[in-house]
Amino acid sequence: MFDYIIIGAGSAGCVLANRLSADPDTKVLLLEAGPRDSHPFIHMPAGLAKLVNNRRVNWDYHTAPEAALDGRALWWPRGKVLGGSSSINAMCYTRGVPADYDEWAALGAEGWGWKSVLPYFRRSERNSRGADALHGDEGPLYVSDLRYSNPLSSAFIEAGQQAGYAINRDFNGPSQEGFGLYQVTQKNGARCSSAVGYLDPVRERRNLTIVTGAQANRITFERGRASGVVYIAQGRAYHQAAAREVLLCGGAINSPQLLMLSGIGPAMHLRRHGIDVVADAPQVGENLQDHLDICTLQHATQAITYDRLSDARVAFDYYLRGHSGVGTSNIAEAGAFVRSPLATDERPDIQMHFVPAMLDDHGRRRLSGDGYTVHACFLRPRSRGRITLASGRAGDKPRIEANYLSDAEGFDLKVMVEGAKLSRELLAQPAFDAYRGAPIFPARNDLSDAELVEFIRAKAETIYHPIGTCRMGNDALSVVDPQLRVRGVEGLRVVDASVMPTLVGGNTNAPTMMIAERAADLINTDG
């Protein structure tokens, strides 16, 4: 008998496994559908480009056809491996801004305001710059400056300064606005996923059991309390009991799917798929939010981009020379946070990532020659989507309706146009004069706003930040309460990005780990 069963060894699950098993009298089972994180390209930061098409470590999701994006079904990669998406992402360490968390609290997530969550960010972080009022230097998650960056990334930062924006050395400092290099979740030039930071140091604990290749089929209940998990491993079905709680850490797609497969969700939808209703929870799978991203691509006149790098050569140099050189790059090296003319408050509403390579279709479509890419995304979209079941079988992928650009006022699209215009403005700055070739996407530099709308509908993609489908709040319709307990049952919590009421203004990996850090305290207090 285990005290706790954690479903999903991703960004949140590894944190919980570490913190809960710190008590030697507490037995913890960690289930992960994917394999161990043994692939060498997981640990070499620049190897992320080679993981794009590796379905062994990727759930390989697609949305339903998106009406506002020319009916395209967008690709949604999510990590299916120890460490989850923190094992395949670009390692950018950002938190958003304090007002993002104060907004959570105002929406009913009591105890999740900035003053409450900051100590958990600091507890998690081991920043190479040292500790201060905003940063920690003793946590399991290593946060470092890049060991290597491309000259084009410096040109991007200079272009931002030429366009009138500030330089920012720390996007998680007193102010988020400005242009700079991202700090990254790396340890000694290697990726520091949640598995590396939180799981590796404790894998040998006698009270922690890790099972990979374990696909959770459903959570079981006895008299309204979560009693265990049914999962498939090596072709066999198992039912494992939990003495205290089941902790669901599957992420914004898998967590609502498993809740529904287990009988927690909209009653009519569950019955339609032949699932017995344990708790009628209409909001399970609703409130889906994501950052939509538009990429502007430009040819380079100098062969200094990452487009022609030999993967074998980079890996050889990286491992031979002690984690140095191009292999340590996270590819999305530089970035920016800015306020568009449409910003509705003091928070930046556009985030940018600069890539010194041509990145089309998530890097899955290789273009000839050399080039560079500016990403721009709207940080606070008003559009909402949903996750629903495609069938009642656990092995079938759920239906993802992101509903991008569907807000009634059309505000999301207007800000996306501003992001595309800003990208074009930056690439026209003198900092790029020595490198600038012909435009690629869009193919002209003089597009009207209407033509930019067409460009966005044809080319915009996710930047991998889905959240919100098991919304946290203090109202009766929220899926989990502020202690992350699932409403309508006992002994079950959701701990991952799906509980976020709204998107934060930045990448979502660090906030997800923070949620798990605080959840561990909540669980231990209740236990």
Side-chain angles (χ1 to χ4, degrees):
M1 176 74 75
F2 290 92
D3 294 294
Y4 298 104
I5 299 177
I6 302 168
I7 305 172
S11 298
C14 291
V15 176
L16 285 182
N18 177 303
R19 297 308 191 189
L20 296 180
S21 66
D23 179 354
D25 295 326
T26 299
K27 295 185 67 177
V28 177
L29 173 63
L30 178 62
L31 301 175
E32 169 54 42
R36 287 187 171 265
D37 56 336
S38 56
H39 197 294
F41 282 137
I42 289 176
H43 302 286
M44 182 182 77
L48 68 92
K50 296 299 293 181
L51 296 173
V52 170
N53 292 313
N54 189 331
R55 295 186 181 181
R56 188 165 179 265
V57 299
N58 193 333
W59 284 97
D60 193 40
Y61 288 123
H62 287 81
T63 70
E66 288 291 321
L69 298 177
D70 292 347
R72 293 182 293 129
L74 273 58
W75 185 54
W76 275 26
R78 308 304 301 159
K80 186 182 181 182
V81 60
L82 286 182
S85 294
S86 74
S87 287
I88 66 171
N89 68 2
M91 294 156 279
C92 299
Y93 182 81
T94 69
R95 303 170 174 174
V97 296
D100 295 335
Y101 301 94
D102 291 340
E103 181 178 52
W104 288 7
L107 291 171
E110 298 164 351
W112 294 89
W114 176 246
K115 289 183 179 179
S116 297
V117 304
L118 176 58
Y120 293 98
F121 277 118
R122 296 185 74 249
R123 175 194 290 184
S124 172
E125 184 183 9
R126 185 181 295 255
N127 199 299
S128 62
R129 299 178 184 176
D132 59 25
L134 296 174
H135 295 287
D137 64 355
E138 297 181 352
L141 183 65
Y142 282 70
V143 177
S144 308
D145 295 323
L146 284 163
R147 288 191 169 191
Y148 178 93
S149 63
N150 191 283
L152 286 164
S153 295
S154 297
F156 175 76
I157 297 170
E158 185 181 356
Q161 193 171 28
Q162 291 169 345
Y165 297 96
I167 301 298
N168 192 338
R169 188 170 175 266
D170 183 6
F171 293 133
N172 303 295
S175 174
Q176 187 189 52
E177 286 190 64
F179 282 64
L181 294 173
Y182 285 107
Q183 279 203 298
V184 290
T185 48
Q186 291 183 14
K187 176 183 178 181
N188 299 326
R191 177 190 293 274
C192 186
S193 66
S194 63
V196 170
Y198 283 88
L199 210 54
D200 282 357
V202 303
R203 288 194 197 208
E204 302 306 315
R205 284 178 179 167
R206 296 171 62 88
N207 61 327
L208 173 62
T209 300
I210 304 168
V211 182
T212 54
Q215 171 72 58
N217 278 18
R218 61 187 172 90
I219 300 161
T220 57
F221 296 89
E222 293 182 6
R223 294 184 294 277
R225 183 176 185 85
S227 59
V229 179
V230 174
Y231 67 94
I232 304 293
Q234 297 181 331
R236 295 183 58 189
Y238 299 86
H239 176 250
Q240 180 59 57
R244 295 186 187 178
E245 293 190 35
V246 174
L247 307 170
L248 180 51
C249 304
I253 302 171
N254 291 8
S255 284
Q257 181 193 23
L258 190 60
L259 285 180
M260 288 186 279
L261 290 172
S262 305
I264 300 174
M268 290 183 61
H269 181 60
L270 302 187
R271 294 189 181 108
R272 191 176 305 126
H273 291 289
I275 298 170
D276 292 336
V277 178
V278 174
D280 182 11
Q283 287 292 303
V284 170
E286 298 293 323
N287 194 47
L288 175 62
Q289 300 161 54
D290 184 34
H291 286 145
L292 186 65
D293 187 58
I294 187 64
C295 287
T296 300
L297 279 66
Q298 189 98 22
H299 276 297
T301 57
Q302 297 187 34
I304 60 171
T305 72
Y306 295 152
D307 292 296
R308 303 189 196 187
L309 288 178
S310 164
D311 299 317
R313 180 67 182 178
V314 171
F316 180 79
D317 286 347
Y318 174 78
Y319 285 107
L320 182 69
R321 298 178 180 176
H323 295 181
S324 62
V326 178
T328 65
S329 171
N330 72 324
I331 309 301
E333 299 166 348
F337 291 88
V338 302
R339 294 181 72 249
S340 79
L342 300 176
T344 57
D345 56 33
E346 295 304 310
R347 294 177 290 179
D349 60 343
I350 291 177
Q351 181 182 5
M352 313 193 91
H353 296 79
F354 178 80
V355 175
M358 295 178 289
L359 200 68
D360 187 31
D361 188 23
H362 308 272
R364 298 188 297 176
R365 180 169 175 258
R366 299 299 294 267
L367 305 177
S368 60
D370 293 275
Y372 41 91
T373 304
V374 177
H375 295 249
C377 75
F378 176 32
L379 290 172
R380 293 178 181 81
R382 300 179 180 181
S383 302
R384 297 292 184 268
R386 64 186 57 85
I387 304 289
T388 55
L389 295 177
S391 79
R393 294 182 296 272
D396 292 345
K397 295 178 179 179
R399 179 178 174 84
I400 303 170
E401 300 174 15
N403 289 341
Y404 292 116
L405 308 181
S406 63
D407 61 304
E409 304 86 1
F411 188 75
D412 291 2
L413 181 57
K414 292 176 183 176
V415 183
M416 290 295 293
V417 169
E418 292 298 324
K421 291 163 73 172
L422 175 59
S423 300
R424 185 171 57 186
E425 177 187 354
L426 291 168
L427 294 178
Q429 296 300 319
F432 282 105
D433 286 352
Y435 311 106
R436 189 184 305 107
I440 305 171
F441 298 124
R444 298 189 350 255
N445 289 325
D446 60 347
L447 297 186
S448 65
D449 283 9
E451 290 172 315
L452 284 173
V453 167
E454 294 178 5
F455 169 57
I456 290 165
R457 294 194 190 282
K459 297 296 291 184
E461 298 281 354
T462 178
I463 199 160
Y464 324 120
H465 300 158
I467 64 102
T469 49
C470 298
R471 177 179 63 86
M472 166 175 47
N474 58 8
D475 60 289
L477 286 178
S478 60
V479 178
V480 301
D481 67 15
Q483 286 72 46
L484 307 183
R485 299 172 297 200
V486 176
R487 296 188 183 278
V489 296
E490 296 181 348
L492 176 62
R493 299 186 206 233
V494 179
V495 182
D496 56 37
S498 72
V499 305
M500 297 182 186
T502 55
L503 271 162
V504 298
N507 310 75
T508 52
N509 191 61
T512 300
M513 293 192 195
M514 175 278 294
I515 288 171
E517 284 277 14
R518 186 165 190 270
D521 274 4
L522 294 171
I523 293 164
N524 284 325
T525 299
D526 286 355

